[in-house]
Amino acid sequence: MTWSEMQPLLEQACTETLVMVGWSTLIAVLAGLPIGILLVLTDKGGLIQNTVVNKVIGQIVNVGRSMPFIILMVALMDFTRWITGTTIGSAAAIVPLAIGGIPFFARLVETAVREVDGGLVEAVQSMGGNTWTIVRKVLVPESLPSLIAGTTTTVIALVGYSAMAGTVGGGGLGDLAVRYGYQRFETGLMWTTVAILAVAISLIQFAGDYAARSLHRRGARSGPGPRLRLLKAKEPATAEVGKAA
């Protein structure tokens, strides 16, 4: 197979992979972020400690993480058909990719949030900050570099999942490698898809590492002071009168 014959196939497969990974990452991040934060808040000693809720959510996340992706795709076929109307193609693959990515990212979020200095949380509490304020002003901003690194890891994992989805008609580069590279013995095309995936993963990792390091350096320069000053309560009026006297 010549390059002119491979090019349109590769372009279509790359587009399908980009769509699958992009949408599934967005869904996994939007759903996994609150789940991961909730696991920290409801844990023993957390701001809204609730052992029952923590155990239930933790078990659901553990089951989702422990299930191999191929089995997950098969198990979700009826649900995927109900959502998208089909079980093949890149649109159908987004459903199991997103569901598989949510518990994966949630555990990364939990780990990142647990690394936040407890002294900052106590400082905001002493200033009258409620749970939502602590999450918005401390937990998420302070863990942002780790969250970016976790998102990078999730994207790379979903790229691998999308290649596996291609083996059962999910579309994308995995489907192209199986249908042409394996079934039709087009070795050149198969190794080209391998090279594209390797380059894509390297670029994603580089971009994620650069963003995480940049945020970490910016946070180190600015320090927690500006964030905490946003929550500083005003001095009582009586104190101001005393000063004037």
Side-chain angles (χ1 to χ4, degrees):
M1 181 177 288
T2 63
W3 172 251
S4 60
E5 294 173 328
M6 288 191 294
Q7 186 176 0
L9 297 173
L10 290 171
E11 290 177 353
Q12 180 181 357
C14 288
T15 302
E16 292 175 348
T17 297
L18 182 63
V19 169
M20 287 190 293
V21 174
W23 279 106
S24 58
T25 299
L26 179 62
I27 296 171
V29 169
L30 292 179
L33 181 62
I35 292 174
I37 294 175
L38 191 61
L39 283 170
V40 177
L41 296 179
T42 58
D43 199 6
K44 184 178 180 180
L47 296 175
I48 51 173
Q49 178 177 332
N50 190 317
T51 305
V52 175
V53 172
N54 184 268
K55 294 297 183 183
V56 171
I57 297 176
Q59 286 300 319
I60 294 173
V61 170
N62 289 339
V63 171
R65 288 187 62 198
S66 64
M67 189 172 297
F69 182 70
I70 292 294
I71 297 176
L72 181 65
M73 286 192 67
V74 175
L76 292 175
M77 277 188 175
D78 291 337
F79 180 71
T80 302
R81 186 182 292 108
W82 180 70
I83 294 292
T84 64
T86 182
T87 57
I88 60 175
S90 56
I94 293 174
V95 176
L97 282 172
I99 293 177
I102 289 172
F104 184 86
F105 184 69
R107 282 301 185 190
L108 295 177
V109 172
E110 181 188 11
T111 302
V113 172
R114 288 189 188 280
E115 295 174 355
V116 176
D117 186 4
L120 295 176
V121 175
E122 294 174 359
V124 176
Q125 284 180 311
S126 67
M127 296 174 191
N130 56 23
T131 301
W132 169 244
T133 301
I134 292 171
V135 171
R136 187 166 54 93
K137 295 289 187 179
V138 179
L139 296 183
V140 173
E142 293 297 324
S143 62
L144 194 55
S146 297
L147 292 177
I148 295 295
T151 303
T152 303
T153 303
T154 302
V155 173
I156 292 174
L158 289 176
V159 171
Y161 290 169
S162 69
M164 285 189 280
T167 62
V168 290
L173 291 170
D175 178 59
L176 184 66
V178 170
R179 285 193 297 115
Y180 286 86
Y182 177 73
Q183 295 178 352
R184 302 187 185 184
F185 303 101
E186 295 289 349
T187 307
L189 180 60
M190 183 178 66
W191 284 111
T192 302
T193 58
V194 171
I196 292 173
L197 287 171
V199 171
I201 289 174
S202 298
L203 291 175
I204 293 169
Q205 188 68 60
F206 174 80
D209 290 345
Y210 178 80
R213 286 195 300 267
S214 299
L215 288 172
H216 183 74
R217 288 195 297 267
R218 185 181 304 172
R221 287 196 299 268
S222 62
R227 294 190 182 96
L228 295 181
R229 282 199 293 271
L230 291 174
L231 300 168
K232 188 175 181 180
K234 294 182 179 180
E235 295 182 357
T238 55
E240 294 179 358
V241 173
K243 291 179 181 178

